[in-house]
Every structure is written in structure tokens, then in C-alpha cells.
Amino acid sequence: MVEAIKPLARATRRPGATGEIGGFGAAFDLRAAGYEDPILVASTDGVGTKVKIAIEAHRPDALGIDLVAMCVNDLVVQGAEPLFFLDYYATGKLDVDVARRVVAGIAEGCRLAGCALIGGETAEMPGLYAKGDYDLAGFAVGAVERGRMITGETVAAGDVILGLASSGVHSNGYSLVRRVVADRGLAWDAPAPFDQARSLGEALLTPTRIYVKSTLAAIRGGGIKAMAHITGGGLIENPPRVYPKSVAAELDGDAWRMPPVFRWLKREGGIEASDMPRTFNCGLGMLVIVDAAKAKAAKAVLEAAGETVFEVGRMVARTGEPVTIANLERAWRD
């Protein structure tokens, strides 16, 4: 297994990464990476029950991108550049081909994020996992020069909120997704009801978008005050984590396109419109709060880096809830 993944890890090398995987520990040289007085930022996460779909649909290839994305997107919201990544892969009995395909996805995710895969752990635990089951977790470390960390402290009423389009459901809410699929008796290899060009398994396993390179470019342009990675808790619970209690986010449900997968989940799951943004990203994987005078320039930089960007709202003085979404019911109309 180690020999099979060495070329994958080697392909993610970047300045600062040293040595080969397979040792007891992995080293990273911050000075070689170009940092003078860095603050380290760390994040760890998993992929959740999306893994179960990958197992049942026999599609492990994209899970690694999800794993990296869930960690590195959490780093960049603080202005940190992801530097290196380690993974943990656990199973009852190792299937080298499946594990290699998972790690290949991790390596691709690291390449997209610009960080090095410098180590990890593969564990066989018979009796703990059912036959064919596996799980994975990730750990990422990034750095930002002292004084340049994005803290959200300066967010004020009048600031513009830009929404970056998601690639789909990303990696949250999959227990509910699996329940909807089970209740409808759908097979993973059947055409997706919301995307006839792909199977249901393929469509629901679309990997989480990695926003690192585009948002770092926008940060360098100035004006970015805060960013929120939209994960568990959706558009309601994540944004307030990054701005003061004196302000609130006012979003407009008419301002962005609601992807078909979310319309399908709402309809087939009988989910209330108000509950959808508490569980899912609803088409926005990252929110960027920017000074109004620099919003146009930031939007241009993000779009030039490949993002689909919507101006989805503004910050206001808080008098009630920390997040409100206007025109929410209208946003779900076909």
C-alpha cells in the first residue's frame, strides 16, 4: 500500500515539503516555504456518511478531494495558505486498489489546494468495520504571516456579501440525502432524477469544491474582511462564526441560482424551505464579506480564478437573528 501511494504523494510536493512518506513522522520547512514570522492554522475533518454512498456505489475515487476540501477550505477563511496534509484511512481488511483510489483523490485535492501530502496512516481493524466498509479523516496545516490573519473583527454594516457557487451538496447533510434515496427506493446506478446525464451515485458524489487558490488571490487584492465555509449548519449557522455580534447577514434568495439537486431533495424529502439552509449549502459553498468599495474588484478576481460569484446580500446592524434570507420561498420555485 505504501509503495502504491508514494508516487501520488510525490506528485504533491511543494516548497517546504521534505522526504518521502513511510517514516514515523513527516517534516515541513516553513522557511523554505517562504514564511518569515508565520502563525500556524490547523484543521481536521472527515467526509461523513457520504462515504457510505461511495462504498455502496463502488465509487471511491472522488472522496479524497472531499476530505482535503473540508479541511483546507476551513484554513483559507482565516487567510491561511494550506501547506501540508495528512490522512487517516481505516478499514476492516485492506483492499489496496480501493485505498489507492481514495489516496489518489486526496493527492488530487492537495494539488488543487497547493498543499503537500506528506504522510498519513492506514489502519486495519477487523471486527470494527463490516466487510467492504472504510472511513477516512484528514488533517491540514496552513500558515499566515503575523498581522495578516482574517479575523472578521472589522466587518461592519454596509459590507457586501459575495457567494461562491458550490459544486453540489458537498459533504454535509448526507444522512438526510441517503434517507430520501432509500425512501424513494432508488438505485445508485439509476439516472439521477435531477441530472439525467449522470447516475444518481455519480451525481451525489460530486466532490466538494476547493476554494483555496481563488480566495487567496482575492485576499491579496485587499478588502476581504471575513469568509465563511458553508458546511454543517448550512447558510444559517456558519456565517455568524466569522463576524461580530453587532452585525447580521441579510441574504436575498433571489440573488443566486438554486441547483436542481436541492430542489429535488426539498421536494422528495418533504423538507420545509426554512429547514433547507440549516442543513445544506443550497448552492453557495463559501461566503466572502468584503468592503463595499472593493466588492466589484474582489468579484472580478474570484471570477478570473474560475469561481461563479453572486452578490447575495449585505451586512446590517443586528436587531434580531444573525442571518436572515429574504425571498426564501420564491428561491425554490422552478
Side-chain angles (χ1 to χ4, degrees):
M1 172 64 185
V2 173
E3 292 304 314
I5 65 176
K6 275 185 178 180
L8 301 172
R10 197 178 297 127
T12 69
R13 290 287 291 273
R14 53 153 294 153
T18 62
E20 290 267 11
I21 64 169
F24 285 98
F28 191 92
D29 186 342
L30 283 168
R31 183 174 295 174
Y35 286 87
E36 296 178 1
D37 186 18
I39 294 175
L40 294 180
V41 184
S43 176
T44 186
D45 211 334
V47 182
T49 57
K50 190 173 186 176
V51 173
K52 194 67 175 173
I53 297 178
I55 292 169
E56 293 175 357
H58 307 290
R59 288 178 171 270
D61 303 86
L63 278 181
I65 298 177
D66 285 296
L67 184 65
V68 175
M70 294 302 290
C71 295
V72 299
N73 285 342
D74 280 357
L75 298 183
V76 78
V77 299
Q78 296 178 79
E81 174 195 11
L83 299 175
F84 61 84
F85 190 88
L86 297 98
D87 70 282
Y88 176 80
Y89 180 91
T91 186
K93 181 175 176 56
L94 182 64
D95 181 322
V96 173
D97 177 64
V98 170
R100 188 201 63 78
R101 290 163 67 186
V102 170
V103 176
I106 293 172
E108 175 62 10
C110 287
R111 187 190 67 78
L112 292 170
C115 64
L117 176 59
I118 64 172
E121 170 70 2
T122 302
E124 278 190 316
M125 292 183 279
L128 186 59
Y129 291 90
K131 183 179 180 181
D133 278 356
Y134 55 85
D135 197 10
L136 57 157
F139 176 78
V141 171
V144 57
E145 292 287 7
R146 192 176 303 275
R148 296 182 185 174
M149 184 177 288
I150 296 176
T151 64
E153 294 174 353
T154 64
V155 173
D159 290 340
V160 169
I161 307 172
L162 302 177
L164 309 189
S166 67
S167 55
V169 184
H170 283 187
S171 297
N172 298 101
Y174 274 84
S175 294
L176 180 52
V177 170
R178 290 170 51 242
R179 193 208 76 189
V180 171
V181 171
D183 286 351
R184 294 295 172 270
L186 300 174
W188 298 121
D189 58 357
F194 51 88
D195 184 355
Q196 292 293 306
R198 297 189 290 174
S199 70
L200 181 59
E202 181 184 7
L204 289 176
L205 289 169
T206 301
T208 304
R209 187 162 180 82
I210 293 176
Y211 298 101
V212 169
K213 293 182 179 179
S214 59
T215 53
L216 286 176
I219 290 168
R220 286 191 291 269
I224 305 300
K225 294 187 173 184
M227 295 191 294
H229 182 203
I230 308 304
T231 55
L235 290 168
I236 302 300
E237 295 180 11
N238 285 289
R241 299 165 64 182
V242 302
Y243 50 72
K245 295 184 184 299
S246 58
V247 292
E250 276 192 355
L251 305 179
D252 182 358
D254 271 348
W256 75 94
R257 295 191 298 271
M258 196 67 67
V261 61
F262 296 110
R263 295 180 185 277
W264 176 76
L265 285 168
K266 179 184 181 301
R267 182 177 64 252
E268 296 301 315
I271 305 167
E272 295 291 332
S274 59
D275 286 335
M276 287 296 293
R278 293 185 180 276
T279 305
F280 299 109
N281 67 61
C282 295
L284 301 177
M286 183 79 76
L287 296 186
V288 178
I289 302 173
V290 60
D291 185 288
K294 298 184 178 180
K296 184 176 180 180
K299 185 173 184 287
V301 170
L302 290 163
E303 288 176 337
E307 302 296 348
T308 299
V309 186
F310 307 97
E311 186 173 322
V312 297
R314 288 188 176 260
M315 300 302 298
V316 298
R318 188 182 304 190
T319 57
E321 295 297 319
V323 178
T324 58
I325 307 178
N327 302 312
L328 184 58
E329 291 286 349
R330 200 156 66 217
W332 294 102
R333 294 177 187 168
D334 292 329

